[in-house]
Amino acid sequence: MKKLMILVLAVFVIACSDNRKKEFSLIDHIPEDTELFFTSQDIKSFIPEIENNDFIKSSEFPLKDRISYQFNFFKYLNLNHATGISFSNLSSKTFTYTISTRKDSALVQLDSVQNKAMETIKEGNTSFQKLELNNTMFFLLEKANIAVISNSRQKILDIARNEKLLKDSSFERAYNASDPNKASVFIRHGAIDKISDFFGKFHFPGFESFAEWTVLDLELTNSEIKANGLSLTNNSEKFLQAFSGINPRNIESVRVCPEDFLSMYALSYSSFKKLHSNLQKIEKDSSRNNYPGVLDETREIAYIRLKEGNATILNAVEIEAAKEELAGMGNPLETYRGSPIVELSDSPDFQQTFSSLMNMEKNKFYTIIDHFIIFSNETDVLKKILTDFQNSDTISGRSYFNQLMASLSSESSMIFISRLPEFINFTKEGDESHKMKFQENSLAALQIINEGDFAHIHGVFSNSRNTSTTSKGAEQIASFKLDNPVVTDPVFFKNHRTDQMDIAVQDDNNRLYLISNKGNIFWKEQLDSQITSPIYQVDLFRNGNQQLAFSTGYNMEVLDRDGNKVKGFPIKFNSSLTQPLSVFDYDKNRNYRFVLTQNDRIYMVGPKGKAIRGFDFDGTRTGIIKAPKHIRLGTRDYILIAEESGKLNILSRQGNIRVPVTENIEFSENEWYGHNGKFVSTAPKNVLIEISQQGQVSKENLQLAENNRIVANDDHLVYLNENQLSIDGKKLELDFGLYTDPQIFEITNKTLIALTDTQTQKVYVFDENAKLLDGFPVYGNSRVDIANADLDSRLELVVKGEDDEILLYKL
């Protein structure tokens, strides 16, 4: 009985062994010179996914066209089983393909083919068929339980004879690691020139020798391709080993990468010394012991390509230690927006250190942002990076970028990111065969995360239709330079000829400029002194033609849009004007009242520069400490005049006391405003003051600091108390800084609140719900003006930048 059991077990084992040999396996029929291998359990379902994918449809390149041409017979194949496709000689005009699948009597469907020919060929013990379907020729081998199709006769013979097949332990590991339920692609490093060339455009020379095989499991949607897999090697000389013993990290250089970048390639490392040691072992080059000392203070290096030029970025662990390493290598060339740009006399040689992993040129200049050191051969590149960082116009702040990165791991050893189609079009170098039709914000990213002798690979290629309409928020659209430093806040001025907005501003030589929103200077007018009031836009002749009205030290001026003095002006005084010009337009009918102040005297003149009759205010008993203010509450007009003594005069249009205020007021630097049917302002400390139209004074202790700032209109009350901003009771904590007075803008049914921190040169714009607008803060160094300055629907913001610079932003 025991012998019988042994015999039965032996027969069972032999039978199972025979079954395994007969079982169909794709890995047993792959040519040894395969460069690219694709496999799918259900290729009939996967092909429509390819055909419907926007990313693939939008790209037109030679390899895609050649594959489409050579595979036009696919529609005649009935691939019901797992299928593998091997590609060889991809760099040649006619590559070699080999398709293997399980033998099926219904594999080739010939009924619908009009032009067809079939021939049986026999070589030795091998019999196979040659088929021509609509001018496409291929060979078909059916042997045991496999079917093989190839455009190479020799490949058919090799597989039939089990010769010249792929036997590679790294490939087998990759194959076993792939997900059998997904379509997968296998890439042999060093064999595909086109792929190596693509990574060369990222300035990564090591793709060819990075690993032996990479496998990527694919997921396709209409707008994306996601790829996840592994790179593997058994070879200690492959550059995958460069990251052995080094932990991946978050890639932080995206924080300073401009939003309109072309490509970015970054390496991260927990220890540069360990990375350098690994590179020396791989390269077997002990002569490279020396490297720039600043690298010891870093955790990341990135290479960014922009339209304006290229930049190398170091992410420092301790920026002060990094600065010490760079000390003495150059001298400051200029300061741009508060950051020194240093011209290098002894440029660190990063290229020699990273020659296996990155191609970089020697740099002439560098600057520092936060803990990032940015090098470039062009100062304009450094200025752009500084500008975009200060304007929050970096790729890290864009929702479509963050959506892409959410598909990747938070930490990387290496990462490649490109903006499509700009990167492809910029690097095609005139090759019109590379035509890309991607959406505006299409991106591609490939991430490598090292883990021992293999690396995790994650890729996302996105051509989402939704991303092209994503609002960028605020973005700088222009920068204009004056001859001298700016001394007034730039303001918009209506151009009645173009129905757009120009910009008016004065420099420290007392020249007033009128500049178009494209930066063209219309004129410069020399004034007697600095402008002391807002620049008012008026239409004195009620014909739509606009003029500029303002006061200087001794004069009141009105200029037309060509810079000419309007008849009747200037109005000149022998002694100085002690308060800025005020302009009243009671009924919004352009019947202007120009109000001028000298100490305790008020002068009111009309559109022709003549004194207005009927305004009989005799003046004040003490000095006037604020420019007279016109406030309309309901249907009533009030003129407010504050005296040094604490008396607040609230007058009618004729200059008579309209609201008697018996209580003396402790005035702050804030103006008076009309809000909720009352007059409002603040005391120097703690108190919000409200005065009714009957003269009743009420005070609310808001615990305001001495430097509080307030602005209001009929519907909104905004105040800044140190670093706390309150918008209609909704409070925000800002960074501590030196802020301009808040401003309220009511434009096209929008309420916007703006203020600038002149200490950090940041402009903030909030909506009425106290939400910061997208893209803010941006760089700026003065109060702002906001208007629809051109012919599109988006608003524009103008602000002072550098001392002699005017900046224009689109909201």
Side-chain angles (χ1 to χ4, degrees), residues 308-351:
E308 295 82 0
N310 304 324
T312 299
I313 299 174
L314 298 182
N315 182 0
V317 180
E318 292 291 342
I319 190 60
E320 294 304 322
K323 287 179 181 178
E324 289 181 14
E325 290 290 343
L326 293 171
M329 290 188 176
N331 297 299
L333 178 68
E334 61 178 301
T335 297
Y336 182 75
R337 295 194 172 186
S339 296
I341 294 177
V342 177
E343 184 172 16
L344 289 160
S345 54
D346 182 16
S347 178
D349 190 355
F350 301 129
Q351 175 56 43

Side-chain angles (χ1 to χ4, degrees), residues 428-709:
K428 68 185 181 182
E429 298 174 353
D431 184 358
E432 293 303 321
S433 61
H434 292 68
K435 297 178 182 177
M436 300 294 178
K437 300 176 182 176
F438 296 111
Q439 299 289 337
E440 179 184 355
N441 292 326
S442 297
L443 297 173
L446 185 67
Q447 179 186 54
I448 299 171
I449 306 167
N450 184 69
E451 191 167 330
D453 61 348
F454 70 93
H456 297 279
I457 309 294
H458 304 292
V460 184
F461 306 86
S462 174
N463 191 37
S464 173
R465 288 188 178 94
N466 295 329
T467 60
S468 63
T469 59
T470 302
S471 173
K472 297 179 181 180
E475 54 181 323
Q476 183 179 315
I477 57 173
S479 170
F480 316 135
K481 289 283 188 177
L482 274 62
D483 298 333
N484 295 92
V486 175
V487 293
T488 64
D489 299 331
V491 294
F492 285 119
F493 175 70
K494 180 69 174 290
N495 186 329
H496 55 261
R497 295 167 182 167
T498 64
D499 207 30
Q500 300 186 51
M501 291 286 189
D502 300 326
I503 300 164
V505 69
Q506 188 183 31
D507 71 13
D508 68 357
N509 268 352
N510 297 330
R511 282 179 296 195
L512 176 64
Y513 295 69
L514 189 65
I515 309 169
S516 78
N517 58 30
K518 300 296 186 293
N520 301 316
I521 296 176
F522 293 120
W523 47 260
K524 308 172 194 175
E525 178 68 19
Q526 186 68 50
L527 303 179
D528 66 304
S529 60
Q530 185 175 329
I531 294 173
T532 58
S533 72
I535 297 176
Y536 295 96
Q537 179 174 290
V538 296
D539 178 6
L540 296 188
F541 306 106
R542 303 186 188 183
N543 59 3
N545 294 351
Q546 307 294 310
Q547 298 87 38
L548 303 98
F550 52 88
S551 60
T552 61
Y554 290 82
N555 297 344
M556 182 213 155
E557 302 269 4
V558 180
L559 304 180
D560 67 19
R561 72 149 292 102
D562 294 321
N564 302 314
K565 297 182 187 299
V566 173
K567 185 178 179 180
F569 299 93
I571 299 172
K572 297 185 177 182
F573 293 83
N574 293 326
S575 57
S576 64
L577 297 169
T578 56
Q579 295 299 328
L581 168 71
S582 298
V583 179
F584 301 166
D585 184 8
Y586 297 125
D587 299 312
K588 304 298 182 185
N589 61 0
R590 295 171 288 181
N591 187 19
Y592 302 104
R593 299 293 184 263
F594 299 112
V595 184
L596 299 155
T597 306
Q598 279 187 322
N599 298 314
D600 58 355
R601 298 289 298 172
I602 298 291
Y603 302 94
M604 184 177 290
V605 299
K608 295 182 180 181
K610 304 297 182 181
I612 294 292
R613 294 180 180 179
F615 181 74
D616 297 324
F617 183 64
D618 293 331
T620 60
R621 294 186 178 181
T622 58
I624 297 169
I625 60 173
K626 296 181 183 298
K629 184 75 177 280
H630 168 246
I631 293 175
R632 170 166 279 193
L633 297 179
T635 59
R636 294 188 174 189
D637 293 298
Y638 301 91
I639 299 171
L640 278 67
I641 299 174
E643 294 188 41
E644 192 174 5
S645 64
K647 179 177 177 58
L648 180 62
N649 301 279
I650 303 181
L651 312 177
S652 68
R653 289 189 188 185
Q654 292 75 31
N656 303 316
I657 296 294
R658 187 161 199 172
V659 177
V661 181
T662 57
E663 181 178 335
N664 276 1
I665 306 295
E666 187 181 7
F667 296 114
S668 68
E669 293 183 7
N670 292 315
E671 293 186 30
W672 286 86
Y673 300 93
H675 176 68
N676 281 344
K678 296 180 180 181
F679 309 101
V680 299
S681 187
T682 65
K685 290 184 180 179
N686 300 328
V687 176
L688 176 72
I689 303 172
E690 294 183 331
I691 301 176
S692 72
Q693 295 179 61
Q694 291 74 41
Q696 296 170 328
V697 179
S698 60
K699 299 177 181 178
E700 181 181 358
N701 189 344
L702 298 179
Q703 296 183 335
L704 300 175
E706 187 171 355
N707 62 344
N708 67 81
R709 294 290 182 265

Side-chain angles (χ1 to χ4, degrees), residues 233-250:
T233 184
N234 293 320
N235 190 335
S236 62
E237 296 182 4
K238 296 295 183 182
F239 281 104
L240 177 59
Q241 299 295 331
F243 295 92
S244 177
I246 296 175
N247 297 325
R249 300 180 60 92
N250 289 331

Side-chain angles (χ1 to χ4, degrees), residues 49 52-54 219-225:
E49 291 181 8
N52 294 325
N53 180 265
D54 282 343
E219 294 180 38
L220 273 65
T221 65
N222 285 346
S223 60
E224 280 189 336
I225 300 175

Side-chain angles (χ1 to χ4, degrees), residues 418-430:
S418 71
R419 171 180 284 283
L420 302 172
E422 289 93 335
F423 175 69
I424 300 296
N425 292 337
F426 188 77
T427 57
K428 68 185 181 182
E429 298 174 353

